[in-house]
Amino acid sequence: MKNVIKFLKNKSGATAIEYGLIAALIAVAVIGGVGQLGTSANTTFNEVSAAM
């Protein structure tokens, strides 16, 4: 019975999962931002190249 109570009080696994989800959300946001920045930079370089 003591092992069951100890298991229910242990929150380290849930905390690790939460940190993993936060890291995944940040990674998705960074990937989206970098993708948008890359598209914008590509458009700018194409405009400069056409002007030359």
Side-chain angles (χ1 to χ4, degrees):
M1 187 66 172
K2 287 183 181 181
N3 289 338
V4 172
I5 293 171
K6 186 178 178 181
F7 176 74
L8 292 175
K9 287 184 179 180
N10 187 359
K11 304 289 184 190
S12 63
T15 303
I17 291 171
E18 289 170 357
Y19 283 134
L21 290 172
I22 290 170
L25 286 172
I26 291 171
V28 167
V30 167
I31 290 170
V34 169
Q36 185 65 27
L37 180 65
T39 302
S40 177
N42 189 24
T43 302
T44 302
F45 286 131
N46 285 337
E47 289 175 0
V48 170
S49 175
M52 293 176 95

